[in-house]
């Protein structure tokens, strides 16, 4: 399923920045549609945040910055 059908990019960015560890904290994000945290996606998003936070930063892929002209 395309990510835009679940959440808009700005909401995904908000989740990445805020890293809510509970469904209640997820529901507290102002950019999230009201009641979304109680949907079938709420727990899955919190679990994905937990998995992301548990990763060793050294194992993450490196992103090359574009060269300036």
């Amino acid at each position: 399923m395309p990510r835009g059908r679940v959440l808009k990019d700005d909401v995904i960015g908000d989740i990445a920045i805020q890293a809510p560890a509970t469904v209640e904290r997820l529901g507290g994000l102002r950019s999230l549609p009201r009641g979304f945290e109680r949907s079938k996606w709420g727990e899955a998003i919190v679990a994905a945040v937990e998995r992301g936070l548990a990763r060793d930063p050294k194992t993450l892929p490196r992103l090359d910055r574009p060269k300036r002209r």
Side-chain angles (χ1 to χ4, degrees), residues 32-54:
L32 196 71
R34 178 169 280 167
F36 184 87
E37 75 279 4
R38 293 185 306 271
S39 75
K40 66 179 181 177
W41 302 105
E43 289 287 340
I45 290 172
V46 170
V49 168
E50 289 174 352
R51 285 191 310 274
L53 291 173

Side-chain angles (χ1 to χ4, degrees), residues 6-63:
V6 178
L7 291 172
K8 301 289 182 207
D9 287 346
D10 58 331
V11 179
I12 294 171
D14 223 11
I15 292 168
I17 291 168
Q18 298 296 323
T22 65
V23 175
E24 292 77 22
R25 304 274 318 250
L26 179 67
L29 297 178
R30 292 192 319 209
S31 60
L32 196 71
R34 178 169 280 167
F36 184 87
E37 75 279 4
R38 293 185 306 271
S39 75
K40 66 179 181 177
W41 302 105
E43 289 287 340
I45 290 172
V46 170
V49 168
E50 289 174 352
R51 285 191 310 274
L53 291 173
R55 286 194 65 178
D56 181 358
K58 294 176 186 172
T59 66
L60 298 175
R62 292 189 48 86
L63 298 176

